[in-house]
Amino acid sequence: MAAPDPTRKAITSFYRENHPLERHWHPPTTTVACRLDHAGPAAIVCSLEFAAQLWPRPATRKTMSSPSTDYEDYPRRATRKIKHIPGSSGLPLFGQTFSFLRNYKALTAERYKKHGQISRGNTLFQHSLTLLGPEANEIVLKNSEGQFSSRLAWNPLLDRLFPNGLMLKDADAHRYDRKILQGAFKKSAIEGYLDTMNPHLESGLKAWPQGKEFHFQHAVKQLLLEVAAEVFLGVEMGDEAAEVNQAFVDAMQASMAVVKLDIPGTLWHRGLRGRQKLEDFVMAHIDAKRSGQGRDIFSQICHATDEDGNQFSDEAVRDHIIFLLFAAHDTTTSTLCSIVYALAKNPEWQQRLREEFKAVGKAQLEYDDLGQLDDTKLVFKEALRMYPPVPGIPRRTVKDMELFGYQIPKNTAVAISPLFTHYMEEYWTEPNRFDPERFSKARAEDKKHFFQWVPFGGGAHKCLGLNFAEVQTKLFLFHLLTRYQIKVKDGYEMPRTWVPLIFPADGLPVSFDAL
C-alpha cells in the first residue's frame, strides 16, 4: 500500500542518514511499511531498517555530496547589536535603502567622509556595517581566521533565486565543489571554448546595425546569451532564447526586491517565475548531457567526479549551471558595456587596440595570441576599476571579533566595496579619469596594496571564471574593433544603475560605423 506521508518522511530521512551520498533519494510510492502513528519506537526502527534493505540504492550512478557547514543556530536576519559603531539607521524602517538603490557610489563615499573605514547603516531592512578600503578588503576576503560567512550573507538575497551556487557555500563545502568545478575553467577547457566563441561573436557582430543608433546593452546581452548557450550549455536555444534571457533578468533584479512577497505583478514574483523557467530549461537537457560527451561546461559538470568517482546529483548540476550562467552572463554584459562606453568617449584607445589586433595578423584569435594583447588588458583592467560589475560584497560574521578598534558580535552583516576602493585618491591618480596606462608596468598604480583592485573579489571566493571573462572580452573587442568605429552622441554621459550590478540605466545608445 502507499506509505503515509509521515512514514515516507521518516524512511527517507533514515535512508539518507545511512546513505549520505544519496541526498535526493525518495522511497517508492508503494511499499511495505508500518503506520508510524500506531507503532512503537522499536517497531519503527525495525521497519525502517527492513525498508532500507528492501529498497536498493539507485544503480544509475553515485552522486557526490559536498560537506555541510552547520549554521542552523544563526537566524536569517543579522544582529542589530551594532549601535556602538558610528553611523546612522536612516529613515524609520527603510533606513538608507532608497539612497542605496539610487546611488550606491555616493552613499559609500559619504559614509567614508563622515565615519572612515567602518560605519553602520540600514539598507533593505538589514542593519549592517560598511567596511571601506584595501585593509578592510583584505581582512574580509582573506578570511584567514574563518570569521566571515559568504553563505549567510548571500542567502537572504539569493537562496530562493540561485540556491546552492558556489557563492552561497562556505569552508569545506565551498572548497569541495569549487575543486570539482574549476576543471571547466582550466586552460585546456578555455582553449576549446574559443572554437565556439570566435564564429558566434563574428557572425553576431556582423548582424548588428551600422550607421544608426541602437542600445548596446540589449544587443550584447542577447549575443552573449547565444554564445553562453553554446559554451555553457551546448544547446541551440532557438525561440527559447528571449524567454531564457528574460528569466535571467527577472531573477537578477528580484535579488534587490525590497518586498519579497510572491504576489503576481511584483518583482519577487517575476524573479521566482524566472528561476522556475531556468530550472525547467536545464533539467530538460540533463539526461542528454549525461549520456553524451560534449565539451561544453554543462556536460563537464554532468560528468565531473570527486576522488571516489561520485557525480553531482541532477539537482546539484542544475543549481551550479544556473548560478554559473548568472554569474558569467550578467557580469560580462556589465563589463562590455563599461568598456564600449569608455572606448566611445576615448577614441584614441579604440585606434590603439585596433593597431594591436592588426599586429597579430590573423582573422581570428587563437589562445596563444591572447597573451600578446597588452593594451587590451590595460583597458580591461581600467574599465573594471571604474565600473566593477559587483560594486559591493557582503559577508556575515560567525564569531565575535574586534575590527578597527570596535567589538563586532557574531551574526553581524558586513560589506566591503570594491567600487569605493577603486576611487580612493590615496591609491589612484585622478581616479575619475579613464587612464588604462595606470596599470602599465612603468606606473603600476595597482601594486600599492594587494587588495586595492578587487573586481573579482579575493581569497577562497575569488571569481572562478576570471580568466574566462578576460578571454571572452578580448575576443569580443577583437571582432568589434576590427570592423567598427564606436560612437556616442556629443556630450553623452552614461547614467548607471549601481546595484545589484552596474549597468547603463538607458541601455547605452551607441552607433557603429563600418571601417
Side-chain angles (χ1 to χ4, degrees), residues 492-510:
Y492 171 76
E493 298 292 334
M494 184 175 74
R496 297 177 185 84
T497 59
W498 296 101
V499 290
L501 302 179
I502 295 179
F503 280 119
D506 60 354
L508 182 54
V510 299

Side-chain angles (χ1 to χ4, degrees), residues 159-207:
D159 67 347
R160 293 285 305 280
L161 302 168
F162 300 99
N164 303 312
L166 200 57
M167 196 165 67
L168 281 69
K169 293 177 178 287
D170 285 325
D172 289 343
H174 174 262
R175 284 189 288 271
Y176 181 88
D177 282 17
R178 185 183 177 98
K179 183 178 179 181
I180 304 299
L181 293 171
Q182 65 189 6
F185 296 95
K186 59 187 179 182
K187 177 184 174 183
S188 58
I190 293 177
E191 283 183 286
Y193 304 151
L194 263 67
D195 295 336
T196 299
M197 288 192 285
N198 263 315
H200 270 75
L201 291 172
E202 184 176 16
S203 61
L205 284 167
K206 282 181 179 179

Side-chain angles (χ1 to χ4, degrees), residues 41 68 114 134 147 178 289 294 401 465:
S68 62
K114 286 185 178 180
Q147 299 157 308
R178 185 183 177 98
K289 293 298 176 182
M401 61 183 297

Side-chain angles (χ1 to χ4, degrees), residues 15 22 25 56-63:
Y15 187 92
E22 302 298 345
W25 180 89
R57 296 171 63 178
T60 53
R61 63 180 178 278
K62 295 190 294 180
T63 56

